[in-house]
Amino acid sequence: MDTLNSSLLTAGLITLKDNKLLLAYSNNKKAWYLPGGKVDRGESSLTSLKREIREELMIDLNDDRLDFYCHITAPAYGENPVVIMEQDCFIYDLREEINPSNEIGAVQYFSRASYMKEQFQVIGVLMVFDKLETDKLIKV
């Protein structure tokens, strides 16, 4: 992998409730992220997202409530040398119960203000907050 221009293809889930964004705490990275993860070779971002959400949150996403929302390009959190994350984000009307797996420490809905109080902020998550606020899907 070229360390000067390394990129990481990922897929993230955007779920909103009461003007807040659902985030998952990664036990490995010690930070809050969009649920989702890496796109495996030969996988589409949508297929990857469905697989990752099944693994992380024990939910089978319903295609009728799942739509592409945006693409985020940002430095991947905690990677040295820098790796650029290329993330397709899908918005979902979550009605299922979440049962986090062992790799997820917790799930929680955050406003931007509550997220900013966390010890670490992930640039990609901040970019998603920006887009959701610009599109008036969440109020500041």
Side-chain angles (χ1 to χ4, degrees):
M1 199 188 262
D2 175 7
T3 55
L4 295 177
N5 271 329
S6 297
S7 66
L8 178 64
L9 302 177
T10 65
L13 186 71
I14 294 173
T15 298
L16 305 172
K17 180 180 173 183
D18 300 328
N19 210 39
K20 295 178 180 176
L21 175 63
L22 180 71
L23 298 177
Y25 186 81
S26 166
N27 287 330
N28 295 333
K29 296 278 189 172
K30 307 291 184 217
W32 293 92
Y33 290 88
L34 290 179
K38 295 177 186 170
V39 176
D40 289 342
R41 180 180 223 102
E43 244 182 355
S44 70
S45 56
L46 180 57
T47 301
S48 168
L49 181 69
K50 291 168 127 181
R51 175 183 51 75
E52 287 284 350
I53 296 305
R54 191 175 309 112
E55 290 171 5
E56 291 181 0
L57 305 182
M58 309 300 175
I59 293 172
D60 288 316
L61 296 175
N62 181 324
D63 288 337
D64 294 338
R65 291 184 272 129
L66 185 64
D67 290 299
F68 178 81
Y69 178 62
C70 66
H71 182 85
I72 299 293
T73 300
Y77 176 79
E79 296 294 327
N80 191 8
V82 172
V83 173
I84 300 300
M85 176 195 67
E86 296 288 346
Q87 185 171 59
D88 284 341
C89 299
F90 294 83
I91 197 161
Y92 188 66
D93 176 16
L94 180 68
R95 300 175 194 165
E96 297 83 355
E97 184 177 329
I98 299 170
N99 295 299
S101 69
N102 292 342
E103 66 186 80
I104 301 300
V107 290
Q108 183 177 323
Y109 284 91
F110 285 87
S111 65
R112 181 192 291 266
S114 62
Y115 185 63
M116 295 309 290
K117 293 176 184 172
E118 291 299 314
Q119 183 176 3
F120 302 109
Q121 288 80 38
V122 175
I123 293 172
V125 172
L126 295 175
M127 292 172 77
V128 168
F129 271 117
D130 289 345
K131 175 117 176 88
L132 290 167
E133 290 166 3
T134 297
D135 293 344
K136 299 189 181 346
L137 293 177
I138 57 175
K139 295 179 181 90
V140 182

